[in-house]
Amino acid sequence: MNRRPLRSCGATAALAVALLLSSCTGETVAASGAAGSGSVGDPLFPGLGNGGYQVTHYGLDLDYDVPRKQLRAKAAITAKAEEDLRSFQLDLQGLKVSGVRVDGQEAAFSRKGHKLRVRPAAGLKKGATFRTTVAYGGSPQEMRDPDESTEGWVKTGDGAFVAGEPAGAMTWFPVNNHPGDKAAYDFKITVPQRYRALANGELRAMRTDKGRTTFEWHNGEPMASYLATATIGVFDFRTYRTPEDLPVYVAVDPAEAAASKRALDRLPEILKWQTKLFGRYPFSSAGAIVDNTPDRIDWIALETQTKPIYAGAPDAATVVHEMAHQWFGNSVTPKTWRDTWLNEGFATYAEWLWEEREGGRTTQRHFDELFASDDEELWEFPPGDPGEPENVTETPVYERGAMVLQQLRKAVGDKTFFSILKEWPAAHRHGNADSADFIAFCQERTDEDLTDLFDDWLYGKGQPDWEY
């Protein structure tokens, strides 16, 4: 994500911060099974995600009435039980649930906060694959995060701008809402004929009947829930293939078309350059969604998988940042929100490399300017331990995260460093990893002792008093 520069936030139908920070664990039940936990123990957002199962696929059938701002939907969720379960939970904020079925049988359900508890007619055995269908609807609501930014299902004049970091996915579908549970997705989105619906992956079908158009999108590679989108609006839309035969889908609000053209025209060039740096592109398609958003959207872009969404026309550096996330954050996803620097530090460093390629500042000059600056915000907390949920999108995670990489580059040398940039996303392709994994990965590739580097630059409080 790119949060810069900030604008003032408008009022939202907010999700209470306490809801994100409180854990909601399930009670113990009879020996026939346990109640799946309402938390996976994320250190920053313990109320997000649920235990006892892992999702493998979401099938989302969404029918959105744009003028009335009403959603009618059904979610089909395929998952595998990791323990014997008598009940389990999903994250769903707002919206009205009209029915739940598990493996074709009607299931009891209840709501508390953003937790939907499901009690199947029969218990689920450990290792069993089960399918849950949830019928629901209403008027989806955006939410305000601990850092005061707006996300979720954000209504626009011509549809919806849909973003999910860190929690917004649950404003429009029932979900195991944590980056540690990645799944494949299929979307079927029906809207009035004049509108277009964009989602992750490849467009499999588009058909119009009685004044309404249904778009079917398939995202076959594993995806964290915060990277899903179902953005709707009036867009200039085009598809093409890169010289490497990668499908590209680009949707741009007409009001942003002229200002977006220069940066978006460089997308194939950016992808080719990044593939050389980071290795094979990890997904089956690429693209961009550029919308004309309300002023309360106080951030620039989000790296939604395969198609980053931009809150207004991007420049080339922003496109570089969000496309770098396809490797760092989307394919290799942090195990918890504490390790967001593994997303943002790498994407910021990609911007530095791009600027140097374009004849601007070198990566070392970026580092030197930051190290010499009197910006106290930069040293407020270490990038590897943000401490508070509102800090996951603050300056140290981005800029100091990139400084960690520049220090690593100087410690191990260019040959080893640029090998790491390729080998790390290849080793954890479509999986999850944390800082400890990255530190061990780097240490295995050099005789240089990296202990002090990571202790001071990744985890140390305040400005380190040394540099390589």
Side-chain angles (χ1 to χ4, degrees):
M1 172 173 277
N2 198 324
R3 295 285 195 185
R4 302 159 293 176
L6 297 179
R7 299 196 300 269
S8 59
C9 295
T12 70
L15 174 69
V17 172
L19 206 58
L20 287 176
L21 303 182
S22 63
S23 175
C24 181
T25 57
E27 72 276 6
T28 302
V29 297
S32 59
S37 169
S39 174
V40 294
D42 190 276
L44 297 181
F45 296 92
L48 295 181
N50 304 280
Y53 65 94
Q54 287 277 311
V55 179
T56 57
H57 181 265
Y58 292 93
L60 303 179
D61 190 342
L62 313 174
D63 189 316
Y64 190 59
D65 186 324
V66 176
R68 295 179 60 243
K69 298 178 172 53
Q70 291 290 312
L71 176 69
R72 289 185 299 125
K74 180 180 288 186
I77 304 162
T78 304
K80 184 175 182 179
E82 296 189 317
E83 57 185 277
D84 291 347
L85 290 173
R86 192 66 192 90
S87 68
F88 60 91
Q89 300 183 57
L90 292 160
D91 298 303
L92 181 64
Q93 174 69 16
L95 300 173
K96 182 179 180 180
V97 175
S98 56
V100 179
R101 303 182 76 86
V102 177
D103 291 335
Q105 297 187 16
E106 188 173 343
F109 65 91
S110 60
R111 305 288 297 276
K112 183 177 181 180
H114 69 278
K115 295 296 180 180
L116 168 65
R117 182 185 295 279
V118 178
R119 189 178 180 92
L124 302 168
K125 294 294 185 182
K126 180 180 180 179
T129 296
F130 62 99
R131 180 182 173 92
T132 304
T133 57
V134 182
Y136 63 102
S139 181
Q141 299 298 307
E142 62 195 47
M143 54 181 283
R144 179 173 287 174
D145 295 334
D147 67 357
E148 295 299 313
S149 61
T150 300
E151 58 149 334
W153 189 281
V154 181
K155 298 179 180 73
T156 62
D158 62 355
F161 183 73
V162 182
E165 186 178 359
M170 66 186 181
T171 66
W172 57 284
F173 69 100
V175 56
N176 195 14
N177 200 17
H178 192 267
D181 191 353
K182 300 169 71 170
Y185 284 70
D186 281 282
F187 304 83
K188 184 184 293 184
I189 310 172
T190 302
V191 292
Q193 186 173 346
R194 67 181 292 256
Y195 301 98
R196 185 171 292 275
L198 288 306
N200 312 85
E202 297 77 59
L203 184 62
R204 288 290 180 84
M206 182 180 69
R207 60 185 180 276
T208 299
D209 181 47
K210 298 179 180 178
R212 297 183 68 76
T213 303
T214 298
F215 299 84
E216 296 185 18
W217 294 91
H218 171 71
N219 186 90
E221 296 92 358
M223 178 168 69
S225 57
Y226 78 93
L227 299 170
T229 192
T231 290
I232 296 163
V234 177
F235 293 104
D236 295 336
F237 181 72
R238 66 186 178 111
T239 65
Y240 64 90
R241 289 181 176 269
T242 68
E244 294 73 34
D245 204 33
L246 182 73
V248 179
Y249 303 86
V250 177
V252 183
D253 186 295
E256 304 292 339
S260 298
K261 186 178 187 307
R262 183 174 181 181
L264 295 183
D265 282 352
R266 300 193 74 178
L267 182 56
E269 175 191 358
I270 289 167
L271 280 168
K272 183 175 182 179
W273 172 74
Q274 291 183 329
T275 299
K276 184 177 180 180
L277 281 173
F278 308 141
R280 182 165 60 100
Y281 181 71
F283 302 113
S284 301
S285 62
I289 303 169
V290 182
D291 208 351
N292 185 253
T293 58
D295 286 343
R296 62 186 179 277
I297 297 295
D298 63 338
W299 43 271
I300 297 172
L302 175 66
E303 61 273 15
T304 46
Q305 194 155 301
T306 71
K307 297 178 192 67
I309 56 174
Y310 300 94
D315 57 19
T318 303
V319 175
V320 166
H321 183 107
E322 303 309 327
M323 294 312 298
H325 275 308
Q326 305 306 308
W327 286 264
F328 305 104
N330 296 13
S331 180
V332 186
T333 306
K335 292 177 181 177
T336 74
W337 285 107
R338 180 167 54 196
D339 290 310
T340 306
W341 85 274
L342 287 170
N343 300 4
E344 303 301 349
F346 277 92
T348 301
Y349 198 79
E351 287 188 70
W352 293 6
L353 289 168
W354 175 261
E355 183 175 334
E356 184 172 354
R357 176 185 185 268
E358 295 289 282
R361 290 173 293 176
T362 65
T363 59
Q364 185 59 45
R365 184 174 173 187
H366 271 282
F367 178 95
D368 291 341
E369 289 178 357
L370 287 168
F371 192 70
S373 77
D374 56 2
D375 183 3
E376 295 182 0
E377 183 181 352
L378 182 63
W379 312 107
E380 283 185 350
F381 60 86
D385 187 12
E388 301 294 337
E390 60 266 27
N391 289 339
V392 297
T393 54
E394 294 300 324
T395 299
V397 173
Y398 291 71
E399 303 293 350
R400 190 169 162 187
M403 293 176 81
V404 171
L405 297 177
Q406 182 66 11
Q407 288 289 78
L408 176 65
R409 178 178 176 180
K410 289 186 284 184
V412 302
D414 276 10
K415 182 178 180 180
T416 298
F417 177 76
F418 284 102
S419 292
I420 289 171
L421 289 189
K422 281 187 176 180
E423 293 171 3
W424 170 250
H428 295 277
R429 185 180 178 88
H430 298 154
N432 294 83
D434 60 18
S435 294
D437 295 324
F438 182 69
I439 292 168
F441 187 89
C442 295
Q443 191 61 75
E444 289 172 359
R445 284 154 178 78
T446 182
D447 293 329
E448 182 77 17
D449 186 350
L450 302 176
T451 303
D452 288 345
L453 188 158
F454 287 111
D455 283 351
D456 293 348
W457 282 92
L458 185 58
Y459 292 113
K461 296 181 179 179
Q463 181 176 15
D465 59 6
W466 64 278
E467 58 174 302
Y468 275 95

